[in-house]
Every structure is written in C-alpha cells, then in structure tokens.
Amino acid sequence: MPEIASRNHVEKISQVIDEAMEGAGKSFDDMDMIAVTYGPGLVGALLVGVSTAKALAFALDKPPLVPVNHIEGHICANFIEFPDLEPPFVCLIVSGGHSHLVHVKEYGQYEILGRTRDDAAGEAFDKVARTLGGLGYPGGPKIDQLAKVGNPEAVNFPRVYLEKGSLDFSFSGLKSAVLNHINQCKMKDMEIVPRDIAASFQASVVEVMTNKAIMAAKQCGVDKIVLAGGVAANNGLRESLTVEAKKNDFELYYPSLELCTDNAAMIGCAGYYDYLNGVRGGMALNAVPNLKLGVKPEPS
Ligand code: KG4
Ligand code: ZN
C-alpha cells in the first residue's frame, strides 16, 4: 500500500530522527554531513526521506548532503562489520525489494550478474508467511523460526534455476507451488503442517541462492562471498553458504542481524565513501525509484 507507507513515513520520520540522535547521544551540531537514500524503492517513501534530509540540511545550514543508493548501503553494512573486508568479492543482496548477485570489483564499481525476474526473495518469504496465515509481517523471521523445527523434505517444492548458467532468480513459481500444496491439502482433507511447509519452502530458496552464489564467485574468480539485505539474516541461508563456501575454498562474510535488515548506519557508511568520492546532492535532489547500482547523481 504505497500511500499508506508514505503517510506512515511522514508521521514517523521526526520521531525516528529524534530517537536516533538520542540513542547516539549526539546533537545536530556533531553532524558532518547528511546521507540520505534517494533510490531505489517506493517513490512516496523515498520522497519523505529526501525532503526531510534537504530540509534539515537547509535549516541547519549544514551541507553537504550525500545521496545514497539503498542497495549500496546494504553492501556497505559488511564494511561496518568487517573493516578489513576489501573488494573484489561477489555479493548476494537479498531483501524485501531486491535480489541481486553483484560482482563488486572495486569500491563503487559493480557488475550485476543476476537479479530476480519477479518477486524479491524477502517478498516470497513474506507472501508465503501470509499464505500460512497468522504469521504477521515481516514473515521472513517467522518462516526461519518455523523451518528450524520442520522437515525440509516433507514437500518437494521446485528448485527454480532458470536457463543453464543463469544467475537470475525467480520466486513466483515457488510461491504458487506453496499455495497449490495448501489448496490440495484442503481438498484432500490432509493436515496442513506449517512448520514442514516453511522448512520445505526455505530449503528450496536456500539451495538455489547458495548454488548461484557459489557459481557466481567461481565465474568471477574471486575468493570472497558476501551476504547482504534482510534475507541475509536467514539461518538456513547462513548455514548452507557456510558449508558450501568452506567446501569450495571461499571466505564467507555476513553482517550481524541488526545490520542485515534496513538500518541508517549502512546508509551513513555508504554516504561516507560517496562523500570521499565527491558525490553531492543539492536542493534539487529528487527520489529515483528505479535507481541503478553504481549510477551517481548529477550534481544538483
Ligand atoms: O533489507 P530489508 O530490511 O528491507 C528491504 O530493503 O526490503 O529486508 C526485509 C526483508 C523482509 O521481506 C523480511 O521478511 C526479510 O527481509 N527477512 C528475512 C529474515 N529476516 C528478515 N527473510 C528470511 N529469513 C529471515 N531471518
Ligand atoms: Zn533494504
């Protein structure tokens, strides 16, 4: 519901900023710059952030304003967690809005190797949670918990690899398969076991993401695989990639849980690197809902 999301952003933004400043024990005078997400995402929500950042910069007479790509922020969460981590590496960015496999060749230099052709990974987790009923939002962590006590082999959901060698993802077929399974159970009067469905669904997502991440790292000739985004918090994914990375001699990095899901620290970190590279936004800065990775804004 983009309008509701946008309205909630308007209602909450001042409170969130106040809480963040209070939690950090800082005042506006301590701030050197303001970094703000200007894309990709829902335009209404992005505009609230961009307008607020511009208003703050103007009111505090405190440029520079540094526009940040949200996905770059997710990658940067790893630089906060692992200060010694350096490119090149392959990054699997899986969140509620995005599923990308990216070759990070240098700081700020990206090659997108694959992306989802339909739903994002987190979206699939959330939709399946809704189908299972009563799990609330976000559904990812609930499915993750249920999967721990379920049987991943209970239902043989499809593994969607697409064409041979493709590093793209597709999750909508899997989502439909879960729905079909539940409908069939109802028709045949069979018991619906949420924990088994959750475990079997997660096993399918995790297997495909793990294998594609390993394939991407081999293809790029890097020795590091990095996870980012809300779904990087998934225990099944972390465990599976830990095993496969070890087997294939890759080093694996993933941020702590609070840095996986959306947070301001990662945007601040990305903004810092952009700032050092001379990226600046002015009062004409606008939201860019379909912002591409690695594209920097025209000076405004
Ligand atoms: O990165 P994020 O906080 O926001 C976006 O940029 O979208 O990701 C949120 C997504 C939600 O879809 C949520 O269900 C999913 O990440 N998520 C998880 C887990 N924790 C959060 N998915 C699977 N397992 C988890 N443990
Ligand atoms: Zn995010």
Side-chain angles (χ1 to χ4, degrees), residues 109-127:
Q109 245 190 60
Y110 310 100
E111 182 193 353
I112 297 179
L113 307 163
R115 53 157 65 86
T116 180
R117 294 188 187 169
D118 38 59
D119 292 350
E123 206 179 344
F125 270 93
D126 295 334
K127 286 178 179 168

Side-chain angles (χ1 to χ4, degrees), residues 70-71 74 93-98 229-230 260-263 266-267:
H70 182 74
I71 302 191
H74 274 301
I93 308 152
V94 271
S95 72
H98 318 277
C260 279
T261 44
D262 284 352
N263 64 87
M266 71 186 197
I267 303 303

Side-chain angles (χ1 to χ4, degrees), residues 246-261:
K246 195 161 180 218
K247 228 189 259 173
N248 289 279
D249 271 342
F250 292 118
E251 263 183 89
L252 178 69
Y253 298 82
Y254 47 77
S256 51
L257 293 186
E258 59 181 4
L259 286 173
C260 279
T261 44

Side-chain angles (χ1 to χ4, degrees), residues 227 232-242 252 254-257 260:
L227 283 178
N234 186 267
N235 286 289
L237 180 63
R238 287 168 176 238
E239 280 161 22
S240 157
L241 259 170
T242 301
L252 178 69
Y254 47 77
S256 51
L257 293 186
C260 279

Side-chain angles (χ1 to χ4, degrees), residues 13-14 16-22 25-34 52-53 55-57 59-62:
I13 189 122
S14 299
V16 166
I17 292 173
D18 288 347
E19 276 184 28
M21 297 305 284
E22 205 182 302
K26 301 281 179 195
S27 75
F28 286 135
D29 287 335
D30 300 316
M31 257 184 339
D32 298 311
M33 62 168 174
I34 298 174
T52 306
L56 264 183
L60 299 169
D61 194 16
K62 182 137 329 232

Side-chain angles (χ1 to χ4, degrees), residues 18-249:
D18 288 347
E19 276 184 28
M21 297 305 284
E22 205 182 302
K26 301 281 179 195
S27 75
F28 286 135
D29 287 335
D30 300 316
M31 257 184 339
D32 298 311
M33 62 168 174
I34 298 174
V36 61
T37 300
Y38 75 115
L42 292 175
V43 70
L46 290 169
L47 275 174
V48 175
V50 168
S51 311
T52 306
K54 288 200 290 195
L56 264 183
F58 183 71
L60 299 169
D61 194 16
K62 182 137 329 232
L65 182 66
V66 183
V68 170
N69 181 311
H70 182 74
I71 302 191
E72 255 182 280
H74 274 301
I75 298 173
C76 284
N78 282 281
F79 296 135
I80 304 177
E81 189 84 46
F82 308 103
D84 295 334
L85 173 66
E86 284 177 11
F89 53 78
V90 155
C91 189
L92 174 66
I93 308 152
V94 271
S95 72
H98 318 277
S99 304
H100 281 62
L101 259 171
V102 177
H103 183 187
V104 181
K105 297 178 173 179
E106 249 308 332
Y107 292 104
Q109 245 190 60
Y110 310 100
E111 182 193 353
I112 297 179
L113 307 163
R115 53 157 65 86
T116 180
R117 294 188 187 169
D118 38 59
D119 292 350
E123 206 179 344
F125 270 93
D126 295 334
K127 286 178 179 168
V128 165
R130 204 160 51 199
T131 308
L132 287 175
L135 295 185
Y137 178 87
K142 309 279 170 35
I143 298 261
D144 197 3
Q145 288 305 318
L146 272 180
K148 277 188 190 157
V149 289
N151 174 8
E153 288 165 11
V155 192
N156 188 17
F157 288 129
R159 271 60 174 157
V160 183
Y161 282 95
L162 303 166
E163 312 82 57
K164 195 170 168 23
S166 171
L167 292 173
D168 279 350
F169 298 99
S170 168
F171 298 109
S172 70
L174 175 59
K175 183 187 65 188
S176 306
V178 174
L179 196 62
N180 288 344
H181 172 77
I182 292 174
N183 286 339
Q184 274 186 10
C185 286
K186 282 181 187 160
M187 266 159 44
K188 293 179 188 162
D189 229 4
M190 281 158 55
E191 193 192 356
I192 296 168
V193 189
R195 61 175 184 279
D196 285 350
I197 296 174
S200 303
F201 160 77
Q202 184 168 295
S204 166
V205 176
V206 164
E207 184 188 306
V208 172
M209 290 200 297
T210 301
N211 287 336
K212 293 211 180 214
I214 298 281
M215 186 158 70
K218 284 184 181 165
Q219 197 171 298
C220 295
V222 297
D223 55 8
K224 287 171 255 177
I225 297 176
V226 173
L227 283 178
V231 183
N234 186 267
N235 286 289
L237 180 63
R238 287 168 176 238
E239 280 161 22
S240 157
L241 259 170
T242 301
V243 171
E244 289 307 311
K246 195 161 180 218
K247 228 189 259 173
N248 289 279
D249 271 342

